């Protein structure tokens, strides 16, 4: 069964450093998403991406964040100058051209120290 | 604006007992509705979904949910809970009719006691 894969599963970084979280969406999907879940809190929408551009973003997704689809298979989330409060589980998701269901990856746990 | 409410933060049930997790949504049209489960340290696994048609949907692991338009609810049920069902459960609304964005509830944590 096709699945969304995320790497790494756990990333530890020092405050102020840049991190790139990587995702390989399901191959025939056209919509891509990043979500964040701070420990003990709900899953929050960050950004959606379609046709090589951001289609929607939340207020959380400020200038510190960026997304990119560098090739035909990867979808990345870059966090510049990480802060302690960026520590969270980050989920990548993708959906097909009807956008009726999001398939989620296993997540990357980011710890900023 | 779209929103999802899960009124129960934490539920404890005995193994073998029945379970109902509540979910209410706010949306102008008929939404696409989902239930996801998250085991500790794991990702989100889709349990079931409702797009249209029969309002009672069956999912994996013996779960079912019923869409009630009049109550704006999509409650998750299971007739007999197993210890392995202990997890966090998230209700979500989304899909192409919400700009392809998925909105999650705050989750319900399920504890199963022997």
């Amino acid at each position: 069964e096709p699945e969304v894969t995320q790497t790494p599963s756990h990333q530890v970084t020092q405050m102020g450093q840049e991190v790139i979280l990587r995702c390989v969406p399901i191959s025939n999907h056209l919509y891509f998403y990043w979500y964040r879940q701070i420990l003990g809190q709900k899953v929050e929408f960050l950004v959606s991406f379609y046709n090589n551009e951001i289609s929607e973003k939340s207020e959380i997704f400020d200038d510190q964040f960026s997304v990119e689809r560098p090739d035909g298979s990867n979808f990345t989330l870059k966090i510049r100058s990480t802060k302690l409060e960026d520590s969270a589980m980050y989920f990548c998701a993708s959906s097909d051209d009807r956008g009726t269901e999001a398939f989620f990856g296993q997540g990357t746990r980011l710890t900023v120290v | 604006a779209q929103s999802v409410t899960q009124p129960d933060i934490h539920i404890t049930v005995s193994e073998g007992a029945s379970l109902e997790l509540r979910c209410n949504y706010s949306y102008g049209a008929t939404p696409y509705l989902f239930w996801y489960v998250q085991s500790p340290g794991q990702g989100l696994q889709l349990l079931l979904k409702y797009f249209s048609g029969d309002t009672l949907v069956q999912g994996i692991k013996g779960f079912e949910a019923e869409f009630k338009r009049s109550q704006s609810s999509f409650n998750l049920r299971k007739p007999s809970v197993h210890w392995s069902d202990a997890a966090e459960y998230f209700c979500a609304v989304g899909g192409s009719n919400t700009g392809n964005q998925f909105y999650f509830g705050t989750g319900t944590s399920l504890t199963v006691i022997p």
Side-chain angles (χ1 to χ4, degrees):
Chain A
E1 184 176 334
E3 59 180 15
V4 176
T5 57
Q6 291 184 242
T7 55
S9 57
H10 191 188
Q11 172 106 38
V12 181
T13 189
Q14 287 194 323
M15 189 168 54
Q17 295 298 304
E18 174 182 287
V19 295
I20 297 176
L21 310 183
R22 303 182 189 281
C23 170
V24 179
I26 294 173
S27 62
N28 62 342
H29 284 185
L30 300 177
Y31 295 91
F32 314 114
Y33 314 85
W34 282 102
Y35 285 81
R36 180 181 80 175
Q37 185 185 29
I38 295 172
L39 186 64
Q41 299 185 24
K42 71 175 180 179
V43 179
E44 302 173 291
F45 170 76
L46 291 178
V47 65
S48 60
F49 191 87
Y50 173 73
N51 200 26
N52 286 319
E53 61 182 19
I54 291 174
S55 54
E56 195 165 354
K57 61 182 180 179
S58 71
E59 59 186 21
I60 302 170
F61 194 87
D62 59 22
D63 292 342
Q64 182 193 9
F65 295 90
S66 63
V67 290
E68 190 178 30
R69 189 155 163 81
D71 52 42
S73 61
N74 291 284
F75 179 52
T76 62
L77 174 69
K78 181 189 290 185
I79 309 175
R80 287 180 282 274
S81 189
T82 50
K83 299 174 283 192
L84 294 177
E85 52 265 39
D86 294 327
S87 295
M89 180 77 92
Y90 289 81
F91 291 105
C92 174
S94 69
S95 63
D96 62 18
D97 60 352
R98 295 173 298 156
T100 51
E101 177 183 340
F103 292 80
F104 284 82
Q106 291 298 100
T108 293
R109 179 165 297 286
L110 176 65
T111 303
V112 182
V113 297
Chain B
Q2 298 87 352
S3 68
V4 178
T5 302
Q6 293 180 249
D8 303 306
I9 296 173
H10 189 196
I11 285 183
T12 299
V13 299
S14 298
E15 190 168 16
S18 63
L19 171 71
E20 181 169 24
L21 303 183
R22 296 183 290 166
C23 173
N24 294 94
Y25 66 89
S26 173
Y27 185 66
T30 300
Y32 297 149
L33 295 160
F34 309 84
W35 274 99
Y36 287 87
V37 61
Q38 182 182 33
S39 298
Q42 301 299 309
L44 296 166
Q45 181 182 24
L46 180 69
L47 282 176
L48 47 77
K49 59 193 178 187
Y50 171 78
F51 294 157
S52 64
D54 193 345
T55 56
L56 183 65
V57 293
Q58 303 296 320
I60 62 172
K61 304 184 180 185
F63 285 93
E64 66 178 26
E66 186 172 12
F67 169 61
K68 293 185 177 180
R69 184 192 303 276
S70 61
Q71 299 177 18
S72 297
S73 69
F74 188 58
N75 294 347
L76 182 72
R77 300 194 294 250
K78 186 170 184 178
S80 179
V81 169
H82 187 263
W83 64 266
S84 60
D85 293 325
E88 189 85 15
Y89 291 81
F90 293 94
C91 181
V93 60
S96 58
N97 59 352
T98 59
N100 288 309
Q101 184 181 142
F102 294 84
Y103 298 86
F104 284 82
T106 50
T108 297
S109 177
L110 175 66
T111 297
V112 181
I113 57 177

